[in-house]
Amino acid sequence: MEQRPPLPPEQAVEYFADTVLRAAFGMVKNLSDAEDIAQDTFVSLVRASRQFESLEHQKAWLLRVAINRAKDISRSFWKKNRLSIEDYADAVPFESREETGLFEAVMRLPEKYREVIHLYYYEDLSIKETARILRITEGSVKMRLSRGRSFLRDVFKEEES
C-alpha cells in the first residue's frame, strides 16, 4: 500500500477536522469540550515543527494529541460534574435508530474499551495503529476490543430480554 504524503498544517486542519472532533467527542462525551480539544490539537499541529512520514503518521499524531487532551479534561473536577449522556446524545446525528443505540452503548463503556473501539471501528485504524496511538501493546488492543465487544453484546442481549 502506497503511503500518502502529509499535508501542510492549514490543509490538515480541514482534512482531519471531523476525525479529531469525533475522537475527542468519543472521549469526553461533550460537544463543547470536544470542539475545544480539536482546536487545541490543531494549534499544537501549527506550532509543532514536526516532520511527518506520511498522512497516516500525521493522523496518528493528531489522534494521540486529541486523546491526551481529552484524558486531561476527563480527569478534571469540572468534567466530573457535567451533563449526562441523555443531555448530549442528540448532538451527533446518526442515520438510524440502531446506530444511535450502538453509539450510546459505546459511550457507556469504560474509557479503555471505548478508546480502542472508537479508533478501530469509527476511525478504521488497524490494531497496530491503535496500539501505537494509545501506547499499548497490540495484545492489549485485541484484549480490549474483545472485552468491549463482549460488554456491548451483553448490553444488547439485556435489551432484547
Side-chain angles (χ1 to χ4, degrees), residues 6-36:
L7 298 170
E10 308 78 39
Q11 291 177 348
V13 169
E14 186 174 327
Y15 187 81
F16 290 115
D18 290 340
T19 299
V20 171
L21 185 63
R22 277 193 315 266
F25 185 82
M27 295 290 299
V28 297
K29 304 177 188 177
N30 178 282
L31 187 58
S32 179
D33 288 343
E35 289 170 341
D36 289 345

Side-chain angles (χ1 to χ4, degrees), residues 50-70:
R50 282 191 66 106
Q51 295 296 320
F52 298 102
E53 299 166 12
S54 64
L55 189 65
E56 293 74 22
H57 179 226
Q58 191 174 34
K59 177 182 179 181
W61 185 86
L62 288 166
L63 288 170
R64 179 79 247 153
V65 171
I67 288 169
N68 284 340
R69 182 71 182 113

Side-chain angles (χ1 to χ4, degrees), residues 2 26 31 41 56 77 83 113 141 148 152:
E2 183 181 326
L31 187 58
T41 300
E56 293 74 22
F77 172 81
L83 304 174
Y113 305 123
V141 171
L152 291 172

Side-chain angles (χ1 to χ4, degrees), residues 98-118:
E98 291 81 21
E99 287 180 3
T100 302
L102 178 60
F103 175 76
E104 289 176 356
V106 169
M107 290 295 100
R108 287 187 172 98
L109 289 174
E111 183 178 325
K112 66 183 182 179
Y113 305 123
R114 190 173 63 241
E115 284 177 335
V116 295
I117 286 179
H118 179 83

Side-chain angles (χ1 to χ4, degrees), residues 102 106 115-125 130 145-146 149 152:
L102 178 60
V106 169
E115 284 177 335
V116 295
I117 286 179
H118 179 83
L119 293 174
Y120 187 76
Y121 289 106
Y122 289 96
E123 300 303 330
D124 292 324
L125 297 178
T130 301
L145 281 170
S146 175
R149 288 188 294 251
L152 291 172

